[in-house]
Amino acid sequence: MDVVWLKKDVRLHDHAPLSLIAAGGNCRPCLILYLYEPDQLSEATVHGSHVAFVNEGLVDLDLRLSGRGGSIADDDIDLYRHHQFRCITVCHAGAAFTFREIHRQRPIHQILCHMETSHLKSFARDKAVRRWCRANNVPIKEFNQTGVTRCLSNRDDFSANFNRFLDRPMPESPSSDQLRQMRRRLIDVGGAEGIQLHGLCRSPMNPTDMQEISAQNRHDRANRQRGGESKALDMFQSFLSHRGANYSSGISSPNTSWTTGSRLSPYLTWGHMSLRHVIVHTKRRQEELRSAKKVSSSPIPWLRSLASFQSRMHWRSHFMQKLESQPSLEKEDLCLAFSKLRRQPHDFCQEHYDAWCQGLTGFPFVDACMRCLIDCGWLNFRMRAMLVSFATYNLWLDWKKISCHLARVFLDYEPGIHYPQLQMQAGTTGINAMRVYNVTKQGKDQDPSGIFIRRYIPELRNVPDEYIHEPYNMPSSMQKKYLVTIGNGDDKVARLGFSNLKQTLSGVYEETDGNNFLYYPSPIVDEKLTAKLAKDKLSTVRKQESTKVEADQVFLKHGSRRSRGEDRDGVKPKALSSAIKRVRVDRGQTSLLSSWKFSPHEQQNSSERNEKTVDNGVLDKKPTAMSQASFRTESSQAAMTEPREWSCKLCTYLNEKPLALVCSMCGSVRQ
């Protein structure tokens, strides 16, 4: 018989194994198998919300396979919990063990599945299954679903391989007749005359019953997105039809990104939607808009937004390829020269870590972002990067220490993106600029009125706008007026302890003079001082010749081969000639940088400044001056010769503004 092994591909569209089984000319019996694998569930990155999301996908797919498909209401929890599987066989058991049990009772002709890029335990599981298949002469066919190449020998080949993957026609979704014929061939499991399997689940398994998951991580998140292919397709359709028009301008703020963002990341992570389906259908939408633009004189903002969105879809596989090529990224620094940073005695502060995890650092925007993740499991990319930057620079926490917590709060936790991004934000890759966010300024820029902060930090809901980002600056008289107490490390924090402060999330009050006062902690670190100390430590390592040599090798293995919209596979950018991505300002960038970063009043006084600082801490020194005539000449030439878009060499994001000096994705200065 044939076995379709479902992993992170719980869907019907663009599913090669299911398409082959349903449309195949053979009449062999078949089995569609999904496994709750104990060794995978025991990973510290697993959270109950992940399992619940997967369960919703399993129910949706089972309904589609049985011919009873249709979108399920978000509040129809009973259907998800008590659904009886008809077409999918679900077991709580290991992969190699289950295949051995099946093969012993009924010989397996072949196993069909998709290739998966995941954590080290997943790699080990796949190796064990392949060993068993070889030992028992059972063919296993793995199909590509992300454009990532297994055993890629040369990074120069990635773009060509990815484009070939996109050019292949997607497998046809099975028709109603094909599904009907396939259902007749499904093996009876658990019946009196069928095969018997260990850990058979008739209904989705509740994460609270999974002993492999730590007790404190088995719960669900009430306000997370709901899973399933039907939800994914509806979400994608709404993005292409109306929500995506302001994608480019709305994804930086946590307030606007909820609607302007695609919100497809959880579906892509857990396989409820195919990456190729998203890219192909977005391309079709772009072609429609270009055709409409030819007959309309009015500008169409959609084209810029969808180009930006497509760039991120390619960027996704670019990072997943890094983990596929070097699985050890999960455990060790990409550039080993940084391996001693943040790992010396007394570097790790448990109180700082606990405060960061709970959203109690005393920095309102940081805390609101973390509490948002705790509540719903999703946050826009820029704010995620800020959380990592604050943890690794201001709190000097090891990226490996914070990785599991972030994986659990991310509903869309994707190891291939998670670990390379953590290292990039922490500055341990050797080929990327330091990304030190000014978290207070980020809050003022992205949430000027404090809407997002007040939503997730009820303790500050009465604080006026002028103090919402820095409540610790409020005079005691104003704190009394607005019924809030901003604590300090000498008395309140020391007296209550962080374990008790966690209760403030549900509203703990302090009785003072008969009034109820809400408590919020004061900052646990000095933001500017800790950022400077952290940058100095990293700069010391970056300047070493041995670090530069090692960083050269990192780039050759993992660096992007795209530059300014053109493929440069195998060509090393000049900016990396010293092996380190040291960000400098060229002649001709001074005036544009000033106009981009400062108000007219600030520009007038900019000559009196000794230092200019870019938002993410990348630029530290004053740019070289330049005459206006020279600037006009060079900028005019650039306008004639520059392409309409350029690719950031640090994060590979495709920027649409040809003369932009700073990447709109990661904030780094253009090279």
Side-chain angles (χ1 to χ4, degrees):
M1 69 173 179
D2 295 334
V3 177
V4 174
W5 179 20
L6 299 176
K7 292 187 281 187
K8 288 186 175 181
D9 53 352
V10 183
R11 63 178 183 273
L12 200 56
H13 72 273
D14 192 16
H15 200 294
L18 285 175
S19 180
L20 284 173
I21 293 296
N26 66 75
C27 297
R28 279 192 298 271
C30 57
L31 183 70
I32 303 173
L33 179 68
Y34 181 83
L35 299 170
Y36 297 118
E37 302 170 72
D39 59 330
Q40 305 299 307
L41 292 172
S42 65
E43 265 288 289
T45 56
V46 176
H47 190 268
S49 58
H50 299 162
V51 178
F53 190 87
V54 170
N55 284 345
E56 290 162 358
L58 288 170
V59 172
D60 186 272
L61 178 59
D62 193 66
L63 290 173
R64 285 172 170 264
L65 291 171
S66 62
R68 300 178 295 133
S71 185
I72 305 172
D74 289 346
D75 57 355
D76 198 350
I77 303 300
D78 288 339
L79 177 58
Y80 289 123
R81 291 179 179 173
H82 305 301
H83 172 80
Q84 297 290 308
F85 291 117
R86 295 188 179 186
C87 298
I88 303 177
T89 298
V90 179
C91 295
H92 183 206
F97 170 81
T98 301
F99 288 129
R100 183 168 62 250
E101 287 295 296
I102 295 173
H103 192 61
R104 180 177 58 82
Q105 300 177 60
R106 190 154 188 171
I108 298 175
H109 179 264
Q110 62 178 345
I111 298 173
L112 305 174
C113 61
H114 277 113
M115 189 184 79
E116 184 177 85
T117 298
S118 193
H119 47 67
L120 287 170
K121 281 189 178 179
S122 172
F123 278 102
R125 180 271 317 274
D126 288 346
K127 289 179 180 179
V129 170
R130 284 194 290 271
R131 283 196 301 269
W132 179 86
C133 288
R134 286 194 299 269
N136 292 272
N137 295 317
V138 175
I140 180 169
K141 298 180 181 178
E142 294 182 292
F143 297 86
N144 197 330
Q145 67 170 342
T146 60
V148 172
T149 303
R150 180 157 286 175
C151 301
L152 183 68
S153 58
N154 192 327
R155 184 74 192 199
D156 297 351
D157 300 329
F158 170 74
S159 294
N161 292 347
F162 185 75
N163 290 331
R164 279 195 294 269
F165 163 75
L166 294 179
D167 291 339
R168 296 191 195 105
M170 288 188 290
E172 293 289 337
S173 299
S175 65
S176 299
D177 289 338
Q178 289 174 335
L179 289 176
R180 191 180 302 111
Q181 292 295 326
M182 185 183 69
R183 288 195 294 269
R184 294 173 181 171
R185 293 156 40 210
L186 288 174
I187 292 290
D188 178 33
V189 178
E193 299 180 359
I195 63 176
Q196 305 298 316
L197 294 180
H198 175 77
L200 182 65
C201 301
R202 296 295 186 183
S203 298
M205 192 172 180
N206 195 320
T208 57
D209 298 329
M210 295 178 170
Q211 300 301 313
E212 299 88 355
I213 305 176
S214 299
Q216 66 270 24
N217 298 324
R218 294 176 194 163
H219 62 277
D220 198 359
R221 305 193 190 283
N223 295 315
R224 64 167 173 82
Q225 284 180 252
R226 299 299 163 184
E229 183 178 10
S230 299
K231 299 290 185 187
L233 294 173
D234 289 344
M235 185 71 74
F236 185 40
Q237 180 58 38
S238 70
F239 176 73
L240 290 184
S241 63
H242 58 278
R243 290 192 301 108
N246 297 315
Y247 177 84
S248 292
S249 59
I251 57 173
S252 292
S253 169
N255 291 314
T256 56
S257 58
W258 291 94
T259 52
T260 60
S262 73
R263 304 302 303 277
L264 296 177
S265 56
Y267 304 114
L268 291 169
T269 289
W270 300 106
H272 299 178
M273 172 159 278
S274 151
L275 176 72
R276 182 163 49 186
H277 177 91
V278 171
I279 292 177
V280 168
H281 284 268
T282 302
K283 185 176 181 180
R284 292 177 185 173
R285 177 64 170 148
Q286 288 175 295
E287 292 170 352
E288 292 174 2
L289 292 169
R290 291 190 186 99
S291 298
K293 187 177 181 181
K294 292 178 181 178
V295 297
S296 173
S297 58
S298 58
I300 301 178
W302 275 98
L303 290 174
R304 174 178 296 178
S305 288
L306 292 186
S308 177
F309 175 68
Q310 286 283 51
S311 177
R312 280 169 172 79
M313 291 299 100
H314 288 71
W315 170 87
R316 177 185 179 84
S317 293
H318 163 75
F319 274 91
M320 291 176 69
Q321 183 67 62
K322 295 185 180 186
L323 186 65
E324 181 67 41
S325 300
Q326 189 173 338
S328 61
L329 281 178
E330 178 185 341
K331 299 294 184 182
E332 64 183 23
D333 294 313
L334 190 60
C335 184
L336 295 176
F338 296 92
S339 59
K340 292 185 179 180
L341 288 179
R342 306 183 179 95
R343 293 165 192 156
Q344 299 302 308
H346 310 299
D347 273 352
F348 179 77
C349 176
Q350 186 67 43
E351 286 189 348
H352 286 176
Y353 173 77
D354 291 341
W356 177 78
C357 290
Q358 299 166 13
L360 289 166
T361 66
F363 292 90
F365 199 50
V366 171
D367 293 342
C369 288
M370 183 59 75
R371 295 190 196 183
C372 173
L373 285 170
I374 294 171
D375 179 59
C376 65
W378 188 87
L379 189 67
N380 60 319
F381 175 82
R382 188 178 185 87
M383 300 302 89
R384 298 187 194 204
M386 182 194 72
L387 283 175
V388 177
S389 169
F390 182 80
T392 56
Y393 288 96
N394 298 100
L395 303 184
W396 201 239
L397 298 174
D398 183 4
W399 65 264
K400 290 196 290 186
K401 295 281 190 180
I402 68 174
S403 64
C404 290
H405 174 74
L406 285 177
R408 291 190 295 266
V409 296
F410 290 165
L411 182 63
D412 54 6
Y413 163 59
E414 177 66 70
I417 298 175
H418 190 68
Y419 295 107
Q421 274 296 314
L422 276 176
Q423 294 208 38
M424 178 183 289
Q425 300 301 333
T428 61
T429 65
I431 61 173
N432 300 106
M434 284 188 284
R435 291 167 165 79
V436 186
Y437 283 74
N438 181 326
V439 297
T440 302
K441 184 180 184 305
Q442 282 292 314
K444 293 177 179 179
D445 290 346
Q446 306 301 337
D447 187 32
S449 300
I451 296 173
F452 183 74
I453 291 175
R454 290 186 178 90
R455 179 179 178 183
Y456 290 102
I457 306 182
E459 304 97 297
L460 301 180
R461 62 174 175 261
N462 296 325
V463 174
D465 289 359
E466 60 182 308
Y467 291 108
I468 193 64
H469 296 284
E470 299 171 289
Y472 42 85
N473 289 334
M474 288 180 64
S476 57
S477 59
M478 292 193 68
Q479 293 185 36
K480 184 175 182 180
K481 176 182 178 181
Y482 293 109
L483 301 178
V484 61
T485 297
I486 307 302
N488 60 70
D490 296 329
D491 51 67
K492 187 73 176 182
V493 173
R495 182 157 47 86
L496 291 181
F498 279 98
S499 60
N500 290 329
L501 288 183
K502 184 178 181 180
Q503 299 173 22
T504 62
L505 294 176
S506 57
V508 170
Y509 294 85
E510 175 190 1
E511 296 292 336
T512 306
D513 299 331
N515 294 319
N516 288 330
F517 279 69
L518 284 167
Y519 171 77
Y520 182 73
S522 55
I524 59 177
V525 294
D526 183 314
E527 181 181 3
K528 293 183 179 179
L529 176 62
T530 52
K532 182 181 184 303
L533 292 174
K535 287 190 287 186
D536 289 345
K537 291 178 181 178
L538 261 79
S539 295
T540 300
V541 178
R542 291 162 66 93
K543 292 175 182 177
Q544 297 172 2
E545 288 302 319
S546 59
T547 304
K548 298 176 183 179
V549 172
E550 188 176 349
D552 262 331
Q553 300 304 313
V554 171
F555 173 78
L556 291 175
K557 184 169 184 177
H558 296 291
S560 172
R561 304 305 199 253
R562 291 178 58 84
S563 176
R564 302 191 177 216
E566 298 178 359
D567 286 330
R568 294 184 57 193
D569 289 353
V571 180
K572 185 178 179 183
K574 293 181 180 179
L576 273 172
S577 59
S578 64
I580 301 296
K581 284 273 191 182
R582 291 175 294 187
V583 179
R584 296 172 178 171
V585 178
D586 299 330
R587 289 187 324 108
Q589 291 186 347
T590 307
S591 298
L592 268 181
L593 181 64
S594 299
S595 63
W596 175 78
K597 202 63 194 174
F598 303 106
S599 64
H601 175 72
E602 290 172 317
Q603 293 175 41
Q604 184 177 359
N605 299 320
S606 62
S607 60
E608 300 175 4
R609 298 175 183 266
N610 293 325
E611 293 186 350
K612 298 283 188 285
T613 303
V614 170
D615 177 15
N616 61 359
V618 171
L619 181 62
D620 293 325
K621 295 185 178 181
K622 182 178 178 181
T624 305
M626 175 187 175
S627 69
Q628 293 184 356
S630 176
F631 168 73
R632 284 195 296 268
T633 302
E634 293 195 14
S635 60
S636 299
Q637 293 174 349
M640 296 174 61
T641 60
E642 287 285 343
R644 299 182 62 183
E645 56 192 21
W646 57 279
S647 180
C648 176
K649 294 178 183 176
L650 302 185
C651 71
T652 73
Y653 173 59
L654 193 63
N655 290 265
E656 297 87 7
K657 296 182 179 180
L659 296 180
L661 300 180
V662 180
C663 175
S664 61
M665 179 68 166
C666 67
S668 58
V669 178
R670 179 177 180 173
Q671 292 293 302

